[in-house]
Amino acid sequence: MDPLRQSPSPCSSRPSSPKTPPCEIHGYVGIEDVLDQLKIKAMKMGFEFNIMVVGQSGLGKSTMVSTLFKSKVWKCTPPGLGMPIPQTLQLKSVTHVVEEKGVKLKLTVTDTPGFGDQINNDKCWDPILGYINEQYERYLQEEILITRQRHIPDTRVHCCVYFVPPTGHCLRPLDIELLQRLCRTVNVVPVIARADSLTLEEREAFRRRIQHNLRTHCIEVYPQKCFDEDINDRILNSKIRDRIPFAVVGSDQEYLVNGRCVLGRKTKWGIIEVENMAHCEFLLLRDLLIRSHLQDLKDITHNVHYENYRVCRLNESHVLPRGPCWVNLAPTPPGPPVAPGPSKVCRQAREDSDDEEDDY
Amino acid sequence: MTSEVARHLLFQSHMPTKTTCPSSQVSDDEQKQKRENTRSLTMSGHVGFESLPDQLVNRSIQQGFCFNILCVGETGIGKSTLIDTLFNTNFADHESSHFFPHVRLKAQTYELHESNVRLKLTIVNTVGFGDQINKEESYQPVVDYIDAQFEAYLQEELKIKRSLFNYHDSRIHVCLYFISPTGHSLKTLDLLTMKSLDSKVNIIPVIAKADIISKAELQKFKIKLMSELVSSGVQIYQFPTDDETIAKINASMNGHLPFAVVGSMDEVKIGNKMVKARQYPWGVVQVENENHSDFVKLREMLICTNMEDLREQTHTRHYELYRRCKLEEMGFTDVGPENKPLSLQETYEAKRHEFYGERQRKEEEMKQMFVQRVKEKEAILKEAERELQAKFEHLKRVHQEERMKLEEKRRLLEEEIIAFSKKKATSEIYQNQSYMASGSNLKKDKDRKK
């Protein structure tokens, strides 16, 4: 999968086309009005955003979602609260339409209660990856129809927020396994959950260790370095990359602090303000996800992750065991008809290599 | 049915995942839940996603825009001048000749900048349109060109490893059709061309060189043109009226079609300003004066208000129609027998097996034919060989006979020769004897005489 990820940047500012001479405009033409046209159309159509939160129970995932979108996203009590731990990992999805200043956003949040809660957590990432791939599959099926819809409904997961438990040490094996697999299929933003249990120095040390872990295991979290197009992007994104993973605290209750009404957690030793940069980095997470990089998340999902999935899927027939009348997917070159000889040879070679692998 | 199950299974086994049964059940449930749960949510504070349109706009600015205009019209009707005037540049196009034997399309791409917007503009001109004596083939190159651009995009979209975000979109977004200002009605060629183009591209008809027509005649001309277009069933592009902000202006502009335009890059001083105009001895026709020409309306509609809609219509309506027709032509359908949804992949594979079977059969046939021919040839050659052999034998025999005959003759001749030489020998001896006898007689005679 890795060689496939070396795709060019999704929003290349220099599309490959014949060299065109730049022309000077001598007066008013009105080309820049196209930006307004774009905005009007986009506002009419509305936006879609699908976010998934992954992490063990009790790390405050559901609360975080409610804090991010400043509303009760879950109709009933958040899953996991007061209910027995589910036996298998079950994904719960909920969709809302939110509107702010004329901008309509169709928001889908997928929660994963029960993740990593069992005694044996082997392959607990399978349902998650299965769900993500299922969304890609659905989009692909819509895309290859003959009569397509005008606007294909986009249910693909644009961003996956991974909650790291605040142990203060380093990433655990479960975290590393999951992150390695997730990063290849979806944009992952890791956060340190319940950061109010760590002091500022502990947070910094933990952050550095996590970054080191990520580098050692070649886990590329969002914003990925290979998709930075120009120098401005790189500067902006390196600032973000320096602070990842964000140490966040979530809350949906308001308290009065210095005459202001703020979201926070009240404890005996003080009130932790969620939106105070000195207390936690929730604002950074919110800005990244919503205010500045939402379109970029969608673009990378569409142009890179979805394309990778599509390539794998369309190439699948190569890997299938071949029947007697199976033909190579690649177009046969013109010339004398190719008898089943060569493909049989290929199958032989593969079987041989399989045998070799078994031997080792 | 089995192939569908097979496909599902192979997806499960080859993706590095395995959906366990309970979660797939849950996903069905959560689907239903999703549909029920799509409700409005009120937020208790400012979240900040009203910046979303700006994010979208920023990305578009980075990528740049692409716009392709096709100009169809007779040579010399003012296409290049109008484009120059529209975009306020000199695209350095020289006059084309009237003597081309066929209609060709010439495409040129330019990069324009205005404030922070980069526009990649492609102008496609029909060269030699309407110049031939026999105009039957005039519109076909245009249709072929438009189809070729759709085809190129479709090919890119169907590739396995594709890069659509990098792709230089060359599909025609709008066709400006230039109508001659005769004042009477549409020419047959115009009607035919527009009819063949209207399902493939957005057509905006314009009346070129409108300074020839007087105001009164212009109104009548426009009405005549529109009624002709409507009665022939030609679908020209209607400016969209579904969005309230631009519905009113678009609706009123729809009533002004076709636009009567005048193009010029020459500047004339009017009052104390330099304006683009055409100077005649009887007056000055100002390009940007709404009373003189509809040029400003055209620019408004084409660029300022509806460029994005033109691009969207091209992609969602014309291109999808082309794609659907093309794929159906190749034999793909969405719904198979018994009305069960068929996937593209299944149809493709079924067709591939069919073709492979067909090819195998043909191979067999050819092999058979080859063997047959070889046998025939062999038989012929054998026959020839036999014949040759027979001839050879015959000749040999004849030759033998001849030889024997000749031997016989030779023997006879030799015997004759021997007999003759014997005779010769005896006669010589006899002659000698007689000569000697006669000689001695002579000598005796000589002696006697003496």
Side-chain angles (χ1 to χ4, degrees):
Chain A
M1 195 68 150
D2 280 326
L4 287 171
R5 275 195 74 225
Q6 303 306 319
S7 0
S9 139
C11 325
S12 169
S13 45
R14 276 156 287 279
S16 56
S17 54
K19 199 90 177 77
T20 51
C23 285
E24 256 196 54
I25 300 189
H26 302 307
Y28 168 73
V29 177
I31 300 178
E32 56 186 352
D33 293 342
V34 75
L35 298 178
D36 292 325
Q37 298 170 30
L38 209 58
K39 259 196 214 168
I40 293 174
K41 272 206 190 291
M43 309 248 302
K44 201 164 97 173
M45 198 157 64
F47 295 87
E48 283 168 318
F49 190 53
N50 308 321
I51 188 174
M52 178 191 262
V53 284
V54 182
Q56 284 180 295
S57 34
L59 285 181
K61 305 189 292 287
S62 323
T63 321
M64 176 55 60
V65 173
S66 304
T67 323
L68 265 176
F69 293 98
K70 287 223 168 71
S71 42
K72 276 207 174 324
V73 175
W74 304 102
K75 240 190 339 192
C76 46
T77 49
L81 244 186
M83 293 196 299
I85 296 174
Q87 288 308 309
T88 53
L89 176 56
Q90 292 178 334
L91 290 112
K92 283 194 165 48
S93 232
V94 80
T95 309
H96 293 282
V97 172
V98 274
E99 183 169 336
E100 195 178 66
K101 297 219 177 107
V103 178
K104 281 194 284 285
L105 175 70
K106 183 155 163 258
L107 176 72
T108 306
V109 183
T110 311
D111 199 351
T112 55
F115 173 77
D117 284 340
Q118 279 76 44
I119 305 243
N120 182 3
N121 285 316
D122 197 22
K123 298 232 191 315
C124 64
W125 44 79
D126 280 349
I128 299 178
L129 290 175
Y131 176 81
I132 296 175
N133 285 327
E134 193 187 311
Q135 307 314 308
Y136 287 148
E137 180 68 25
R138 211 172 281 170
Y139 194 88
L140 180 67
Q141 290 304 322
E142 281 291 332
E143 202 191 22
I144 62 180
L145 280 181
I146 307 285
T147 323
R148 299 198 281 213
Q149 298 176 36
R150 203 179 176 94
H151 175 68
I152 302 176
D154 192 1
T155 51
R156 303 171 291 189
V157 177
H158 298 132
C159 177
C160 179
V161 183
Y162 184 70
F163 286 73
V164 177
T167 58
H169 293 176
C170 60
L171 284 178
R172 302 164 304 155
L174 175 64
D175 300 331
I176 293 179
E177 283 292 312
L178 179 72
L179 282 174
Q180 268 177 337
R181 286 177 168 75
L182 271 187
C183 279
R184 286 188 230 134
T185 15
V186 75
N187 300 316
V188 179
V189 178
V191 294
I192 302 175
R194 287 192 180 272
D196 48 344
S197 63
L198 297 171
T199 64
L200 292 180
E201 297 84 15
E202 284 169 359
R203 273 187 215 168
E204 270 314 304
F206 191 28
R207 195 198 316 272
R208 298 290 157 221
R209 268 195 285 267
I210 292 182
Q211 283 174 355
H212 178 72
N213 281 143
L214 292 176
R215 264 195 303 271
T216 326
H217 293 274
C218 303
I219 300 173
E220 278 230 24
V221 295
Y222 184 83
Q224 293 97 337
K225 214 178 257 183
C226 43
F227 300 138
D228 284 340
E229 304 145 31
D230 53 21
I231 194 75
N232 297 332
D233 273 353
R234 212 169 298 147
I235 296 176
L236 182 67
N237 286 345
S238 359
K239 282 208 199 101
I240 298 174
R241 276 191 282 268
D242 200 45
R243 310 295 299 158
I244 288 228
F246 301 128
V248 294
V249 175
S251 162
D252 47 5
Q253 291 189 315
E254 297 195 339
Y255 297 98
L256 213 57
V257 170
N258 293 342
R260 287 177 306 130
C261 215
V262 290
L263 284 172
R265 285 172 62 79
K266 186 166 180 187
T267 59
K268 284 232 164 66
W269 46 91
I271 295 182
I272 305 159
E273 292 167 49
V274 166
E275 283 175 349
N276 188 335
M277 271 305 286
H279 292 196
C280 79
E281 290 161 357
F282 168 77
L283 286 182
L284 286 179
L285 178 68
R286 184 193 62 189
D287 288 347
L288 177 76
L289 283 184
I290 300 174
R291 291 200 187 165
S292 56
H293 283 73
L294 200 149
Q295 189 61 42
D296 194 38
L297 283 164
K298 288 172 65 167
D299 287 339
I300 294 190
T301 309
H302 180 66
N303 291 327
V304 178
H305 296 298
Y306 170 69
E307 290 294 319
N308 283 342
Y309 175 81
R310 184 175 172 276
V311 171
C312 280
R313 190 81 175 78
L314 293 183
N315 272 333
E316 244 160 30
S317 38
H318 279 302
V319 191
L320 282 176
R322 296 180 194 215
C325 51
W326 208 267
V327 181
N328 238 340
L329 192 60
T332 47
V338 176
S343 49
K344 243 196 227 156
V345 168
C346 289
R347 193 155 54 118
Q348 279 286 356
R350 210 177 296 117
E351 282 170 354
D352 288 343
S353 63
D354 283 344
D355 289 340
E356 280 174 33
E357 274 173 44
D358 287 342
D359 286 342
Y360 287 99
Chain B
M1 184 56 197
T2 43
S3 53
E4 212 172 338
V5 169
R7 195 162 43 97
H8 188 61
L9 282 176
L10 75 83
F11 160 67
Q12 280 186 329
S13 61
H14 279 280
M15 287 297 124
T17 71
K18 241 176 251 168
T19 52
T20 55
C21 286
S23 55
S24 61
Q25 271 174 15
V26 168
S27 61
D28 277 337
D29 288 346
E30 51 126 330
Q31 277 261 20
K32 263 184 262 159
Q33 200 187 20
K34 243 195 236 184
R35 262 171 271 156
E36 289 158 24
N37 265 359
T38 313
R39 59 184 180 104
S40 291
L41 199 63
T42 41
M43 299 175 306
S44 56
H46 178 70
V47 176
F49 56 79
E50 86 261 12
S51 65
L52 277 178
D54 294 322
Q55 291 183 32
L56 188 63
V57 163
N58 282 340
R59 192 222 21 195
S60 301
I61 290 181
Q62 253 186 337
Q63 263 182 321
F65 290 89
C66 204
F67 197 53
N68 308 321
I69 303 182
L70 169 69
C71 295
V72 182
E74 293 171 356
T75 317
I77 208 169
K79 306 188 284 285
S80 313
T81 317
L82 183 67
I83 297 292
D84 280 356
T85 323
L86 261 177
F87 290 99
N88 242 325
T89 55
N90 280 316
F91 283 125
D93 221 1
H94 49 265
E95 289 175 13
S96 27
S97 131
H98 282 262
F99 294 99
F100 290 116
H102 299 286
V103 175
R104 276 184 318 122
L105 282 99
K106 194 165 66 146
Q108 273 168 311
T109 312
Y110 308 95
E111 249 201 57
L112 300 173
H113 284 254
E114 196 182 58
S115 59
N116 55 351
V117 178
R118 275 180 311 118
L119 180 71
K120 206 177 217 69
L121 181 71
T122 305
I123 311 284
V124 186
N125 259 317
T126 49
V127 175
F129 190 77
D131 274 339
Q132 292 82 34
I133 296 186
N134 180 359
K135 298 194 206 134
E136 272 176 8
E137 296 296 306
S138 285
Y139 60 85
Q140 196 55 43
V142 184
V143 174
D144 291 341
Y145 181 83
I146 297 178
D147 279 344
Q149 307 316 306
F150 281 147
E151 182 67 31
Y153 191 86
L154 182 66
Q155 289 301 324
E156 182 66 29
E157 201 188 19
L158 288 180
K159 273 195 201 164
I160 295 188
K161 255 201 150 177
R162 60 189 190 182
S163 56
L164 276 178
F165 48 82
N166 248 344
Y167 180 73
H168 174 59
D169 190 4
S170 56
R171 299 173 293 181
I172 302 291
H173 298 128
V174 70
C175 170
L176 287 178
Y177 198 92
F178 288 75
I179 300 175
S180 278
T182 56
H184 292 175
S185 61
L186 273 180
K187 297 196 190 152
T188 323
L189 176 63
D190 293 341
L191 261 177
L192 274 178
T193 314
M194 280 206 262
K195 196 85 185 72
S196 60
L197 288 179
D198 68 351
S199 58
K200 292 186 185 289
V201 74
N202 305 312
I203 301 184
I204 298 183
V206 294
I207 302 172
K209 298 198 170 176
D211 47 352
I212 297 181
I213 314 182
S214 72
K215 240 192 157 60
E217 285 174 354
L218 187 63
Q219 206 45 34
K220 268 194 277 176
F221 189 35
K222 280 193 185 181
I223 296 174
K224 187 93 202 311
L225 285 178
M226 288 309 279
S227 69
E228 267 192 3
L229 286 174
V230 163
S231 63
S232 319
V234 173
Q235 288 183 327
I236 55 172
Y237 177 71
Q238 296 294 317
F239 301 117
T241 46
D242 44 0
D243 182 32
E244 318 79 45
T245 44
I246 50 175
K248 235 197 305 187
I249 187 172
N250 275 348
S252 83
M253 289 299 179
N254 274 330
H256 280 114
L257 279 172
F259 295 127
V261 290
V262 177
S264 164
M265 281 305 280
D266 302 326
E267 303 212 326
V268 171
K269 198 176 180 96
I270 303 278
N272 52 356
K273 281 197 303 165
M274 293 293 284
V275 294
K276 289 204 281 279
R278 287 177 64 79
Q279 182 149 55
Y280 291 106
W282 48 88
V284 177
V285 178
Q286 295 161 39
V287 167
E288 283 174 352
N289 188 334
E290 298 244 14
N291 287 332
H292 293 195
S293 91
D294 292 334
F295 172 79
V296 174
K297 293 197 184 79
L298 175 67
R299 187 176 61 193
E300 265 278 322
M301 286 292 103
L302 189 64
I303 303 175
C304 308
T305 319
N306 295 309
M307 193 196 270
E308 191 55 34
D309 185 67
L310 284 164
R311 289 166 38 148
E312 197 184 301
Q313 290 283 342
T314 309
H315 180 68
T316 54
R317 199 148 62 96
H318 300 293
Y319 170 70
E320 286 295 314
L321 180 66
Y322 175 82
R323 179 178 176 272
R324 191 168 59 231
C325 291
K326 198 68 197 299
L327 289 178
E328 275 174 4
E329 220 178 287
M330 296 209 285
F332 294 108
T333 49
D334 272 339
V335 180
E338 300 145 38
N339 267 357
K340 269 201 281 188
L342 259 191
S343 87
L344 208 69
Q345 189 187 11
E346 282 171 5
T347 323
Y348 185 69
E349 280 169 15
K351 264 196 176 303
R352 207 174 50 187
H353 285 189
E354 201 186 296
F355 283 145
Y356 190 71
E358 181 78 26
R359 197 178 73 180
Q360 285 245 320
R361 207 175 47 79
K362 280 207 178 128
E363 266 184 54
E364 278 305 312
E365 250 182 60
M366 280 175 75
K367 268 199 200 141
Q368 296 288 2
M369 211 160 60
F370 182 69
V371 167
Q372 186 75 11
R373 286 246 184 93
V374 165
K375 274 207 191 116
E376 281 175 20
K377 212 53 185 227
E378 256 186 49
I380 291 176
L381 282 175
K382 269 215 175 88
E383 186 65 41
E385 197 183 330
R386 239 181 294 131
E387 260 180 48
L388 219 61
Q389 192 77 1
K391 243 194 196 166
F392 179 65
E393 295 285 315
H394 176 74
L395 276 176
K396 207 162 145 187
R397 238 180 300 128
V398 164
H399 177 76
Q400 280 288 81
E401 279 178 23
E402 287 275 338
R403 203 170 162 181
M404 283 196 352
K405 273 196 201 140
L406 285 172
E407 289 281 313
E408 188 66 38
K409 262 196 187 158
R410 193 176 167 193
R411 203 172 37 86
L412 282 172
L413 275 175
E414 278 194 357
E415 275 179 10
E416 268 187 41
I417 288 178
I418 292 177
F420 180 70
S421 51
K422 265 198 197 144
K423 262 198 194 158
K424 187 174 173 190
T426 47
S427 75
E428 271 188 2
I429 293 176
Y430 186 65
Q431 216 176 30
N432 272 350
Q433 277 180 349
S434 69
Y435 185 66
M436 273 177 51
S438 71
S440 64
N441 282 346
L442 255 167
K443 213 173 166 187
K444 273 181 195 166
D445 282 338
K446 266 186 193 170
D447 283 339
R448 236 187 280 134
K449 277 178 187 175
K450 277 182 192 170

